């Protein structure tokens, strides 16, 4: 198999030839498999084992709650607090927490895969239907995220294979929204000469909602889905064909810039914002006004008994004079022992005074499930109320 992709760095066109000849001999192919929480259970175990039993050299990295924001180096490194699984040809680990999810570019560089399998998408529904900016900006943001993933994979000399999201309960995510996301992912992947597996064609979420979360399948259904993906992937790898024509793609997919709202701080360059996040160690004492909050519609959606909810506040007064932004994001304990706390019921527009420290100060809280459906803003550090 040979694939050719054009890149345009600056004014020069460079032809990158991806030579995957003899990939029918599976033991010569290296596979990097990235997944989100749908890959933590029966689906991931079944698919991973199928890849290995077919002779592929597999490196699996699964992070609960992950999306392209986690995988791409263009964005701040983020912790995984709801389960992390990594398996190589020589070792395996499953832990509840890692301080930073590995970046796609680093994984591609260190493991030199022939193919990168990406199972993702569920965590992009919130971005696609955000009410905090125009719909066109939501679509542009999701498109850019997938483009950046595809570009990084192709630039590293690999081909991308996308496992599109399975069917979700329509009361959790409307059918039109599911189709919209699938269409974006399908279109972008194929522009970069990648392959897709149409999961919604072979799955249907039949369990009741909200008694279940409407997203995560039981073991029997998850294994069936994985077996179908495995069969399709083997056929894809055994195929002996070349693309009809080279594909022209831009060298550096542009990260979509969110629409700035009144009172919102100006975005900082990535390097500056990362420094401010890492270097922000001080305790702050602020009078703040709630402007946006992450919410849990049903306790049954939670995988853990305790959960943090990310709230965004306008800074009304900085009593210590050491906080540099007009807004702050705060991780509150909104569920404890599978019961809502009083903070979960705070209303938009309410004001309070809080002494806060960076969330990373309290390692125990990093083991809680984090609920964050706010518009991504990696310029703002994440704080939490200071414990007495």
């Amino acid at each position: 198999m040979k694939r050719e992709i054009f890149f345009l760095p600056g004014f020069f066109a460079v032809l990158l030839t991806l030579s995957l000849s003899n990939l029918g001999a599976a033991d010569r192919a290296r596979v990097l498999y990235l997944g989100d929480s749908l890959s933590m259970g029966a689906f991931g175990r079944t698919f991973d084992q199928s890849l290995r039993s077919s002779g592929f050299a597999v490196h699996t990295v699964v992070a609960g709650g992950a999306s392209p924001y986690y995988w791409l180096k263009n964005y701040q490194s983020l912790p995984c607090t709801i389960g992390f699984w990594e398996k190589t040809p020589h070792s395996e680990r499953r832990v509840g927490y890692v301080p930073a999810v590995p970046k796609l570019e680093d994984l591609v560089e260190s493991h030199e895969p022939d193919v990168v399998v990406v199972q993702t998408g569920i965590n992009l529904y919130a971005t696609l239907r955000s009410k905090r900016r125009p719909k066109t900006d939501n679509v542009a943001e999701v498109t850019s995220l997938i483009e950046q993933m595809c570009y990084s994979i192709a630039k590293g000399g690999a081909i991308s294979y996308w496992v599109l999201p399975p069917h979700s309960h329509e009361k959790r995510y409307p059918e039109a929204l599911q189709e919209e996301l699938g269409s974006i992912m399908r279109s972008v992947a194929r522009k970069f000469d990648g392959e897709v597996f149409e999961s919604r064609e072979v799955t249907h979420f039949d369990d009741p909602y909200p008694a279940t979360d409407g997203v995560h399948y039981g073991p029997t259904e998850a294994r069936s889905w994985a077996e179908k993906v495995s069969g399709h992937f083997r056929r894809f790898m055994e195929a002996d064909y070349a693309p009809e024509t080279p594909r022209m793609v831009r060298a550096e997919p542009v990260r979509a810039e969110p629409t700035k709202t009144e009172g919102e701080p100006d975005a900082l360059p990535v390097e500056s914002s990362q420094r401010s996040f890492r270097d922000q160690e001080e305790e702050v004492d602020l009078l703040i006004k709630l402007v946006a909050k992450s919410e849990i519609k049903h306790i049954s959606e939670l995988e853990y008994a305790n959960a943090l909810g990310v709230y965004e506040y306008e800074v009304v007064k900085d009593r210590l004079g050491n906080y540099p932004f007009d807004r702050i994001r705060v991780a509150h304990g909104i569920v404890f022992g599978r019961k809502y706390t009083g903070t979960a019921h705070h209303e938009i527009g309410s004001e309070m005074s809080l002494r806060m420290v960076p969330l990373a100060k309290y390692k125990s809280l990093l083991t809680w499930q984090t609920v964050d459906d706010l518009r991504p803003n990696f310029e703002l550090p994440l704080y939490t109320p200071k414990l007495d």
Side-chain angles (χ1 to χ4, degrees):
M1 183 189 303
K2 180 178 289 187
R3 300 194 172 194
E4 296 179 332
I5 301 178
F6 280 104
F7 294 96
L8 299 175
F11 297 97
F12 302 96
V14 178
L15 178 64
L16 172 65
T17 301
L18 305 180
S19 297
L20 300 182
S21 58
N22 299 322
L23 275 184
D27 59 345
R28 301 182 64 182
R30 296 181 301 275
V31 178
L32 173 63
Y33 165 32
L34 307 180
D36 59 25
S37 62
L38 295 182
S39 287
M40 285 297 295
F43 173 86
R45 288 192 297 268
T46 302
F47 184 57
D48 174 272
Q49 181 56 43
S50 177
L51 293 177
R52 296 177 196 277
S53 63
S54 296
F56 301 113
V58 184
H59 188 121
T60 292
V61 184
V62 173
S67 70
Y69 291 118
Y70 286 71
W71 300 116
L72 291 165
K73 293 186 81 170
N74 271 347
Y75 300 90
Q76 170 71 44
S77 292
L78 295 170
C80 174
T81 63
I82 58 173
F84 181 83
W85 172 38
E86 184 170 20
K87 186 175 181 179
T88 75
H90 312 293
S91 64
E92 181 176 11
R93 63 169 176 153
R94 281 183 179 266
V95 295
Y97 165 79
V98 290
V101 173
K103 292 299 186 180
L104 166 64
E105 296 88 342
D106 294 335
L107 291 168
V108 169
E109 181 179 2
S110 60
H111 300 289
E112 298 182 335
D114 298 303
V115 179
V116 179
V117 176
V118 186
Q119 177 277 303
T120 195
I122 290 295
N123 299 303
L124 290 175
Y125 284 132
T127 302
L128 192 56
R129 67 177 181 181
S130 171
K131 301 299 184 183
R132 306 184 187 285
R133 56 185 166 187
K135 176 66 174 181
T136 54
D137 287 358
N138 292 342
V139 172
E141 175 78 359
V142 172
T143 301
S144 175
L145 291 169
I146 305 302
E147 284 183 340
Q148 291 177 71
M149 292 278 287
C150 287
Y151 171 76
S152 295
I153 292 167
K155 185 179 180 182
I159 292 172
S160 60
Y161 180 97
W162 292 78
V163 181
L164 302 191
H167 176 261
S168 297
H169 198 292
E170 289 87 350
K171 291 184 179 179
R172 178 71 187 272
Y173 297 121
E175 187 72 25
L177 181 71
Q178 296 183 51
E179 175 53 37
E180 183 177 31
L181 179 60
S183 177
I184 293 171
M185 297 178 70
R186 183 184 310 118
S187 174
V188 174
R190 289 175 176 167
K191 185 175 74 171
F192 283 79
D193 210 24
E195 182 61 277
V196 300
F197 180 81
E198 301 284 357
S199 298
R200 289 174 62 242
E201 293 184 0
V202 300
T203 57
H204 194 275
F205 198 96
D206 295 319
D207 290 337
Y209 178 84
T212 63
D213 66 7
V215 173
H216 293 89
Y217 283 73
T220 301
E221 294 82 1
R223 281 192 290 268
S224 176
W225 172 34
E227 289 165 359
K228 292 178 174 64
V229 179
S230 300
H232 182 271
F233 183 77
R234 285 193 296 270
R235 292 190 294 274
F236 165 71
M237 295 295 283
E238 291 167 358
D240 184 14
Y241 68 94
E244 297 179 0
T245 57
R247 305 299 179 92
M248 297 293 293
V249 298
R250 56 184 174 178
E252 296 292 345
V254 177
R255 174 179 168 185
E257 294 296 333
T259 302
K260 185 176 183 295
T261 57
E262 185 177 352
E264 185 175 330
D266 293 331
L268 300 174
V270 172
E271 294 82 0
S272 174
S273 65
Q274 289 178 345
R275 281 197 301 272
S276 67
F277 187 95
R278 287 194 295 265
D279 296 342
Q280 187 66 40
E281 299 292 340
E282 294 181 285
E283 175 182 330
V284 297
D285 185 358
L286 306 175
L287 174 62
I288 51 181
K289 179 179 179 180
L290 183 60
V291 295
K293 56 187 290 190
S294 300
E295 295 183 289
I296 302 169
K297 293 183 178 179
H298 304 283
I299 292 289
S300 60
E301 295 178 11
L302 292 178
E303 297 179 13
Y304 288 25
N306 303 329
L308 299 172
V310 178
Y311 289 12
E312 183 167 325
Y313 295 89
E314 174 187 347
V315 176
V316 178
K317 185 176 182 179
D318 178 4
R319 293 190 173 90
L320 299 180
N322 61 349
Y323 186 72
F325 303 109
D326 296 326
R327 298 282 180 106
I328 189 169
R329 290 198 171 178
V330 181
H332 292 284
I334 59 173
V335 172
F336 185 77
R338 294 203 173 276
K339 294 183 179 180
Y340 289 111
T341 66
T343 307
H345 303 295
H346 285 183
E347 296 183 355
I348 301 296
S350 61
E351 293 188 1
M352 69 181 72
S353 294
L354 277 180
R355 295 185 75 91
M356 295 169 285
V357 295
L359 176 61
K361 290 282 189 180
Y362 297 131
K363 302 300 182 184
S364 61
L365 291 181
L366 296 176
T367 64
W368 291 28
Q369 184 169 342
T370 300
V371 179
D372 183 2
D373 57 11
L374 302 182
R375 190 179 88 188
N377 185 334
F378 298 106
E379 281 69 49
L380 292 181
L382 188 58
Y383 277 77
T384 197
K386 183 180 180 181
L387 300 178
D388 295 329

